[in-house]
Amino acid sequence: MTIKMRPIRRIVTSNDAMGRSGVLFDSYAPNVNVGAVAASAGMTDIWVYHQAPATVDGNRDDGNLPFSFDPPANGGHLRIVQSASKQDNYSAELDKTAVPLHEPRLRPNGHTWDRGGQNAYSSPIHQSETIDYGVMMFGKRTLILDDGHREMLPGDTVVQLANWHGWTNPNDESLMAFIMMGGQPRSHPEKDES
């Protein structure tokens, strides 16, 4: 199952050489990544910055850089996540993409820990060294935490401070905006043992 992505219009503004404001880009965001986390989800990167404070002049397109799930360690990104609704005939037991829960493992990128629990409609339970602001724009999604689940509806906002979490779509298609910024790494007992 592959999600049909909704194009996201992106308007990027700046100042010209005379100091007048204007539009650099006004088009659908070009950096679309389908299936990077789950078969039923896609991510559209709107803008990425590698350092804070970010460079705010020039005419380069920092929304069309190579895809990375994690934001830059000293920067951040704005990303729109689209998720499909669960199909009526979906069976988790027959899902060939499912990954059972397992002991924490560091992903190859070296910034995100993963505990499995993934299927076609759920992300793995993961933890990254980031501060994430998530704003529910359309539909609903369920935030999975160690202490339970929280349903998110349009307008709901979550602030995640490098905690273990996952996402699942119960029954509705959804659209959610995330601003993810690199955070100060903390010690990981799992990392110290490897």
Side-chain angles (χ1 to χ4, degrees):
M1 125 58 45
T2 302
I3 185 171
K4 182 175 177 5
M5 295 291 285
R6 175 185 306 196
I8 304 295
R9 181 180 177 202
R10 178 189 67 150
I11 302 170
V12 179
T13 63
S14 188
N15 295 307
D16 66 15
M18 302 293 291
R20 295 175 301 196
S21 63
V23 172
L24 282 176
F25 309 106
D26 182 351
S27 63
Y28 293 130
N31 199 343
V32 179
N33 302 278
V34 178
V37 173
S40 66
M43 300 176 182
T44 302
D45 283 354
I46 305 299
W47 203 255
V48 179
Y49 60 96
H50 289 277
Q51 298 281 66
T55 302
V56 293
D57 60 359
N59 59 4
R60 70 194 176 286
D61 189 349
D62 287 346
N64 200 16
L65 301 174
F67 178 78
S68 171
F69 176 76
D70 297 308
N74 297 312
H77 63 228
L78 170 59
R79 171 175 291 158
I80 306 295
V81 176
Q82 297 180 50
S83 299
S85 60
K86 195 178 290 183
Q87 295 177 343
D88 291 337
N89 63 350
Y90 175 74
S91 168
E93 295 78 31
L94 300 175
D95 185 344
K96 293 181 190 236
T97 68
V99 176
L101 287 170
H102 54 69
E103 290 298 313
R105 297 180 194 147
L106 187 62
R107 288 185 185 168
N109 66 15
H111 301 290
T112 302
W113 290 82
D114 186 316
R115 293 194 319 210
Q118 172 180 349
N119 64 43
Y121 294 95
S122 299
S123 73
I125 305 299
H126 60 285
Q127 178 187 53
S128 54
E129 296 169 344
T130 58
I131 298 171
D132 305 345
Y133 303 138
V135 180
M136 196 71 211
M137 299 166 60
F138 171 84
K140 62 181 162 182
R141 277 181 111 189
T142 302
L143 172 61
I144 303 168
L145 300 169
D146 291 334
D147 72 354
H149 296 184
R150 305 294 189 282
E151 185 175 80
M152 296 203 48
L153 301 172
D156 290 349
T157 303
V158 62
V159 176
Q160 299 179 136
L161 303 175
N163 58 279
W164 286 105
H165 68 283
W167 293 98
T168 190
N169 260 31
N171 301 310
D172 290 348
E173 169 185 346
S174 68
L175 194 67
M176 193 166 183
F178 285 94
I179 298 170
M180 299 174 65
M181 299 164 289
Q184 181 65 41
R186 59 182 174 192
S187 66
H188 290 275
E190 301 89 350
K191 196 173 189 178
D192 296 338
E193 293 171 6
S194 39

